[in-house]
Amino acid sequence: MSGTSVDGIDVACADLRLDGTELNCAYRGTVSLPFDAKLQDRIVAALPPGEPGAGELCRLHAELGSAYASAFALARDELADGRADLGVLHGQTFFHWVDEAGRALGTLQLGNASAVAERLGIPVISDLRSRDVAAGGQGAPMVPMFDRLLLSGRPGPAAAVNLGGIANLTVVADGEVLTAYDLGPAGALMDPAAALATEGARRYDADGGLAASGQVCQPLLARLAREPYYLLPPPRSTGRELFNAAYLQAMLAGLGPVPGEDVAATVTRLLVDLLAGAVRRHGLRELVFSGGGSQNATTLRWLRQAVPSVNVLTTADLGVPVQAKEAVAFAVLGYLTWNGLPGSVTAATGASHASILGSIQPGNGPLILPEPASLAPRTIRFTDTV
């Protein structure tokens, strides 16, 4: 997994086994590798509003495939005793094509799965979002299936919230996904604000210290809050094609000098306001955070102040480290595909039907799939072994 934060690659390793409607998961750990600085700069330059051209996209597709293959190989050797059965590759999202009516028409993730299959010699499932888009869905968010399993039995309504480049949430009650959607920008605006505040010395506000040192600029916050995207009804999805450094600069235009720390505080307050609004809108009793942004102490402190009656915790409290959650979720999605089970949730994406996700790249030998499972999991249980 590498997400909209564009900070690096996370590879989670897990042993998975279906037991009726319970999915047993023995989580072995996660390997996290930061992107090479030059590759990271090229990825960011190629993301919207950049116009990289077909040649640069081809080169990035190949180089990312090689980087993913190296990360997979390291995780196999360090976490899986040198042997893995299946790889699941999300890839790096470069564009999510959404029209003016909010309909997703296409999605593009780069990173050549063939490089992983060739390096490891095992089947690799990739391109997990496209099938849902083809079925009329948003292709995002794709983790609600895992969120449903994770939050089953929690006091509800509860929401799983991932804070990467984009903040997305899944609302679960009584074991069912009620809704899920991309809420709005997290790191996609907080990261350029951190760079602005430090003249490029820091790429992100890891612990929220920059935001805590500033004051919220009310005129800027008012401009940001008027973004039409927030008026779109769920299901809705977005990404760096909308929220990026250029977007932030456009919001700052004409306001006069705004200290960088104040910009950081303001975009952090925007995220907190969006989250607090979701709490009120869905009557949430609990928020379970994951992703790099969940380590931002200022975001969580301001949120607890805004909605004091809501229980705020992280996936680490439920057995999944915050940085590993999305990688584990995609491992589960790939495992469902491997066993002939749908991985999408129509309440989350708006698709006409749930789909078996992704494309399967064979390993060294013939592709032999197991018999399709007769029952889909309803809960997940974390164990030492499966």
Side-chain angles (χ1 to χ4, degrees):
M1 181 79 199
S2 59
T4 51
S5 55
V6 198
D7 52 0
I9 303 169
D10 295 320
V11 185
C13 179
D15 296 320
L16 298 166
R17 180 175 61 85
L18 271 171
D19 183 9
T21 59
E22 182 176 77
L23 178 63
N24 292 304
C25 176
Y27 169 67
R28 292 190 177 210
T30 298
V31 167
S32 295
L33 295 177
F35 282 127
D36 172 86
K38 291 184 179 179
L39 177 59
Q40 184 182 35
D41 288 342
R42 287 173 55 212
I43 294 171
V44 172
L47 292 170
E51 297 180 357
E56 177 65 353
L57 290 179
C58 180
R59 286 186 286 270
L60 286 168
H61 183 55
E63 291 176 39
L64 278 167
S66 178
Y68 291 133
S70 296
F72 268 107
L74 181 64
R76 176 200 59 193
D77 295 341
E78 291 193 355
L79 303 175
D81 300 323
R83 186 187 68 84
D85 300 311
L86 178 67
V88 186
L89 175 63
H90 173 270
Q92 179 65 52
T93 297
F94 275 76
F95 198 80
H96 198 64
W97 181 20
V98 179
D99 67 11
E100 293 181 355
R103 296 172 300 182
L105 303 178
T107 187
L108 177 65
Q109 287 76 41
L110 297 186
N112 188 4
S114 294
V116 180
E118 183 67 22
R119 178 78 174 270
L120 274 70
I122 62 174
V124 177
I125 298 175
S126 62
D127 194 24
L128 286 97
R129 297 184 184 272
S130 292
R131 184 60 183 269
D132 184 77
V133 173
Q138 292 285 320
M142 295 307 296
V143 297
M145 176 66 75
F146 180 79
D147 291 337
R148 189 189 75 184
L149 300 175
L150 187 67
L151 298 184
S152 177
R154 302 295 301 175
V161 182
N162 189 74
L163 298 181
I166 301 298
N168 53 63
L169 81 163
T170 304
V171 178
V172 178
D174 299 323
E176 296 295 339
V177 174
L178 302 185
T179 187
Y181 55 97
D182 285 349
L183 186 64
L189 294 186
M190 295 165 75
D191 293 352
L196 179 66
T198 62
E199 297 183 342
R202 292 171 62 174
R203 292 177 179 266
Y204 55 95
D205 190 9
D207 58 0
L210 289 172
S213 68
Q215 299 292 323
V216 174
C217 174
Q218 293 298 333
L220 174 60
L221 181 62
R223 281 189 179 185
L224 292 167
R226 287 196 293 268
E227 166 57 48
Y229 174 78
Y230 307 134
L231 300 178
L232 294 175
R236 67 184 194 221
S237 57
T238 189
R240 288 185 183 267
E241 65 278 356
L242 174 58
F243 298 109
N244 49 54
Y247 176 95
L248 183 58
Q249 288 295 337
M251 293 293 104
L252 285 165
L255 289 181
V258 180
E261 292 83 357
D262 291 359
V263 176
T266 304
V267 296
T268 301
R269 174 54 64 181
L270 172 71
L271 173 60
V272 169
D273 288 349
L274 291 171
L275 288 166
V279 166
R280 292 187 288 270
R281 186 161 52 252
H282 302 298
L284 299 176
R285 296 174 57 191
E286 187 170 77
L287 292 171
V288 182
F289 282 90
S290 61
S294 64
Q295 299 172 8
N296 186 308
T298 301
T299 299
L300 297 188
R301 184 174 71 256
W302 289 0
L303 180 62
R304 288 188 173 104
Q305 293 169 352
V307 286
S309 63
V310 174
N311 186 29
V312 177
L313 63 158
T314 73
T315 56
D317 299 308
L318 305 183
V320 184
V322 295
Q323 195 61 32
K325 187 254 188 166
E326 283 218 320
V328 173
F330 273 90
V332 168
L333 291 178
Y335 180 79
L336 294 177
T337 295
W338 189 249
N339 285 278
L341 295 170
S344 59
V345 177
T346 57
T349 69
S352 60
H353 57 82
S355 298
I356 300 173
L357 304 174
S359 301
I360 304 177
Q361 182 84 237
N364 287 341
L367 184 64
I368 302 174
L369 296 173
E371 283 292 318
S374 58
L375 295 173
R378 301 292 301 176
T379 61
I380 190 168
R381 184 167 69 94
F382 294 98
T383 61
D384 293 332
T385 63
V386 299

